[in-house]
Amino acid sequence: MSSIVNRARSTSLPNFLAWRALGFRTICSGRLGFAPSNPDSPASAGTKILESFKEEFEVGSRVVSFETGKIARFANGSVVLGMDQTKVLSTVTCAKTDSPRDFLPLTVDYQEKQYAQGLIPNTYMRREGAPKERELLCGRLIDRPIRPLFPSGFYHEVQIMASVLSSDGKQDPDILAANASSAALMLSDVPWGGPIGVIRIGRICGQFVVNPTMDELSSSDLNLIYACTRDKTMMIDVQSREISEKDLAAALRLAHPEAIKYLDPQIRLAEKAGKQKKEYKLSMLSEKTLEKVTDLAATRIESVFTDPSYGKFERGEALDNIGKDVRKVFEEEGDQESLSILPKAVDTVRKKVVRSRMISDGFRVDGRHLDEVRPIYCESHYLPALHGSALFSRGDTQVLCTVTLGAPGEAQSLDSLVGPPKKRFMLHYSFPPYCTNEVGKRGGLNRREVGHGTLAEKALLAVLPPEEAFPYTVRINSEVMSSDGSTSMASVCGGSMALMDAGIPLRAHVAGVSVGLITDVDPSSGEIKDYRIVTDILGLEDHLGDMDFKIAGTRNGVTAIQLDIKPAGIPLDIVCESLENAREARLQILDHMERNINSPRAQDGAYSPRLATFKYTNDSLRSLIGPMGVLKRKIEEETGARLSIDNGTLTIVAKNQDVMEKAQEKVDFIIGREIVVGGVYKGTVTSIKEYGAFVEFSGGQQGLLHMSELSHEPVSKVSDVLHIGQYITTMCIETDVRGNIKLSRKAMLPKPERKPASDAGKDSVMKESSTVYTETSSVGETVASMPSIVTPPQKSKLSVPAVVIRTAVECHEAEKSSPVNKNDKPKRATTPKPDRKPKSTASKLTATQKEEEVLESIAPEETPAECGETLKQDGKLKSASPKNSSTDSNLVSSSKAKKSTRKENQSENKAEESAFVSTRNLKIGTEMTAKVHEIRARGLVLDLGGELRGMYKFKEDEETEFEEGDTLQVKCTSFSTKGIPVMALVDEEGEE
């Protein structure tokens, strides 16, 4: 302080501005206050001693402590419960005045704040908002075992607040909060019949574990929460993986003595620091009023309940009329005190009538036996346009369940202190006002709806496939259409059928049923004299009974349990007995469900929603997202699909197959995908060549669509079938190490029907196969061998004609032994003129290649048999087409005879050769008349007759004044490597 004064005195400001130099302390509301004369002397203060009380004990293998008196001292009761480094504060307060009401306004709030684990909330305001689902569920978990222990008629408002102070993530704070709330009620002056003990039991590898940690729970097949007093059960909450009823009963009997360990420390703590219980006013029914209501209404109420023809609303209307008649009697008498409690009195008489009849006669209000299940109606695929849907009715209770599949990235984020960060399976339960014919408005999260939905969710979670095999997010909406008891168990049944309808491979169907209890209690001792277990309870039986025991499971075991009771505890033996009754009813319900749908439905409809997953590299996904997600959003807007990207995985969700295909095409165009042989791909024709077309697809990749793969029918020109910019569907038939892709269009077209066997018999049958081998020498000479008789080979599965391969020596021997005139020597196909220089070998090979390029544009059916040529490419045998191979390949290259002999034979056989020309009798030197079929850049395609095509190549200095249809006199000079006749004009052939 002295340093501040010195700095103020040394300032260059005027003294009237240096207010600290003048000794002023502060300025507040326009007034100046003077500082003390000696600011260095501290003010003296006394030392406050906080008297605290603590109780420590051991449960399982962990030390638990109750502590009070140190914090929250103004609360009616406050306790801090600690286990390891997890601490929970629970406080109890009670209203001073009693407002007129006929129920207990108990409020339990459980809160988890992020400071408990050293984090700042990741929200805009950086603070916690509305209660989350987990907080609501934990509040219900505390409320359910505590509420029945308040005395009857105690209607003062009570609030319990449980706050997590610190969490180490090892223990779930919900159990600690429940025990701390029980201890806080014991310390307060509120009348309460506790204490209670709450324990969690797990099972790992068949061994039960008390107070398991969160890591142990992840590998446990049982999560049992059990609450009890010293001798009775108060609450049960179970999530398991098809545990048998026998094992579940054993777990319950183990949990009871472990939970009792929490009771004595609470009693000792209350003796040390507890308050004296206050005398609160209780709203009790007078015996006089109760007797009078019984005399006026008991008989009429019994007649209503014994008539099974009454429905829910008819029965309710009849009971309301009875209540109105009783009210008129009290109004005439002017008994205002009785009028204030009349509704409760009439309800008490109803309860007595129903309970006594069920215990004495064993019949219920709707005429059923105690163990009888209501009629069931099941219908799956109720809404075909959805991923999955089912309608389930049991009696008057009806639930519509729908299933929506989503991408893994659409999982719900859980901002809780413990447990997994995300939840991929959600069941949202909705209870609209119209399901009970009431008027109401929809609000936010409802504790009852959240609790019922979570129960059904836990029941179905046990049969879902593991995340590795089915990583998708699943959401079930359970819409209650009408309610008359046990809508949560109907949601389990309808949800299981809807999941099957969505095609999700469940391990088994799950069904649920609610079991009730009617007891006859001795008023003096409170002991149960007699009881009846009721299966599949109505809404009225739930209201008038003592227990609502919801049990869900498969044929193999239990998956979820929730026990709520109204009296101050139920013996554990009755609870275990109820498990067997629920199992028998559950099997009956499963029979009806399995008859409707017993296996996952195949999503093959045109309007069925689709979901697909693809794996890509991070770089590819980065290009798909685009800057600030622009490309991803654009695809979603244009197609209507939803794209989710998570850890190298792209998931596309579409409402039907058309939308899915559009989204896949756009994704493939941006980033592409791996091309596999046999895969079907769509692309755009970018260029057309003489030998085929190039198709672009999958992110700029290109493939070659060869002319022979365009269609099953012959194609003479590629442009006749395709045009640039055309969008076509192709199949990949081959890829190589260099990334070249070969495509086929005809593989996607239906194959043409084959000719009947009768038509095939009309054709000439091949009795002999003449295999001709041609060899092209370095100077372009064509050498032909004589035909040899071979055995016709059997047709293989691939319809490849047999080919006999001979060496040069064998061909030479066959030529010597052939009956051909040895003096006839083979002549060159084309004789160069004397005035031209002979071309080199390389130039001749180039010419041959150009001829082949021209021939490749000719349709397959226009070429003759390929003379037994064998082309080996990539180790595969390629031969002529079956159509060409069906005709004898008897093309024999014969040498030219003398000119005189040739001219004589030409005049005699000219007409005959022209009439019967075919691949069977066409030989080198044969002259004929041909027509110009097509004009190409380097030559002509000639029609030789008999559906036979030949080729004529233009010379360098030749004038190309030809028109289609011109008649030419030509002569066969040679055959190309593919067996196509090479023709020359007769008037150009000079004398040798």
Side-chain angles (χ1 to χ4, degrees), residues 861-865 883-884 887 913-922 928-931 942-950:
E861 71 172 8
E862 298 174 355
T863 62
K883 180 176 180 180
N884 295 332
T887 308
E913 290 175 353
S914 301
F916 298 96
V917 64
S918 67
T919 58
R920 186 178 182 87
N921 52 24
L922 181 62
M928 64 187 69
T929 302
K931 291 184 178 181
L942 303 177
D943 185 0
L944 306 181
E947 299 184 355
L948 182 64
R949 300 288 187 268

Side-chain angles (χ1 to χ4, degrees), residues 858-876:
I858 303 176
E861 71 172 8
E862 298 174 355
T863 62
E866 295 183 358
C867 304
E869 296 169 359
T870 303
L871 303 178
K872 294 185 179 180
Q873 182 177 356
D874 297 335
K876 297 181 180 180

Side-chain angles (χ1 to χ4, degrees), residues 364 368-376 394-395 513 535-536 584-586 588-589:
R364 301 156 71 171
R368 286 184 293 149
H369 294 285
L370 298 179
D371 59 349
E372 186 177 351
V373 180
R374 287 174 286 176
I376 297 174
R394 183 170 55 226
V513 68
T535 303
D536 187 20
E584 295 176 359
R586 187 171 74 244
Q588 297 178 32
I589 300 171

Side-chain angles (χ1 to χ4, degrees), residues 624-635:
L624 174 64
I625 296 173
M628 304 297 292
V630 173
L631 292 179
K632 176 177 173 291
R633 288 195 300 270
K634 183 178 179 182
I635 294 175

